[in-house]
């Protein structure tokens, strides 16, 4: 298993708390406008970020809560590698149009449907190689 880790460095004022079960992640180079609506993450290893692979069946761990990827949009991997940007969607993939920059997630075990994000939260991307 290949793991790539990031840490939440900031949370925009409009990033959380809305009705949609979506969290927009962005890297540290986000503009001020994007940073206001996003959760900013910084990867521990920039080379690992550039080689990051995300696919259906992989796991994303947000602190202690684990989620399986049920759908990976066509643009998700490229944008994660280059910008640290992806939309985490904590919802059923069958509902409506799928975001092509989205990773649709299903909770594993005792994980909540929608996790808590705060500065310092660890996000671990685990790819089954």
């Amino acid at each position: 298993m290949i793991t790539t880790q990031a840490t939440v460095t900031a949370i925009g004022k409009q990033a959380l708390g809305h009705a949609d079960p979506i969290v927009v992640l962005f890297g540290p180079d986000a503009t001020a406008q994007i940073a206001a609506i996003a959760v900013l993450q910084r990867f521990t290893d920039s080379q690992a970020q550039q080689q990051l692979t995300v696919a259906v069946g992989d796991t994303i761990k947000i602190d202690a809560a684990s989620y399986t990827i049920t759908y990976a949009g066509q643009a998700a991997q490229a944008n994660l590698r280059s910008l640290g940007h992806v939309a985490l969607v904590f919802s059923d993939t069958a509902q409506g149009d799928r975001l092509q920059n989205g990773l649709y997630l299903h909770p594993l075990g005792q994980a909540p449907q929608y996790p808590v994000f705060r500065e310092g939260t660890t996000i671990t991307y685990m790819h089954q190689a």
Side-chain angles (χ1 to χ4, degrees):
M1 181 166 301
I2 299 169
T3 61
T4 306
Q5 195 168 56
T7 302
V8 172
T9 58
I11 298 174
K13 292 185 183 210
Q14 299 167 16
L16 305 173
H18 40 80
D20 294 326
I22 298 173
V23 173
V24 176
L25 298 178
F26 225 99
D29 296 329
T31 65
Q33 289 176 319
I34 291 172
I37 62 163
V39 172
L40 301 185
Q41 65 176 338
R42 180 179 302 278
F43 283 86
T44 306
D45 180 344
S46 61
Q47 286 186 331
Q49 176 189 354
Q50 293 169 4
Q51 298 173 6
L52 177 63
T53 300
V54 288
V56 171
D58 287 352
T59 302
I60 293 180
K61 191 172 178 184
I62 300 164
D63 282 337
S66 294
Y67 299 83
T68 189
I69 298 173
T70 59
Y71 177 79
Q74 291 179 330
Q77 182 168 285
N79 285 340
L80 262 172
R81 286 179 174 180
S82 63
L83 304 168
H85 171 51
V86 73
L88 300 181
V89 184
F90 299 91
S91 177
D92 184 0
T93 61
Q95 298 175 356
D97 292 333
R98 295 178 183 168
L99 295 175
Q100 290 309 301
N101 194 46
L103 295 176
Y104 287 72
L105 304 174
H106 181 77
L108 294 172
Q110 299 299 314
Q113 181 64 38
Y114 190 90
V116 174
F117 286 87
R118 64 187 186 294
E119 287 186 31
T121 291
T122 300
I123 302 170
T124 306
Y125 301 85
M126 295 179 277
H127 176 63
Q128 300 174 13

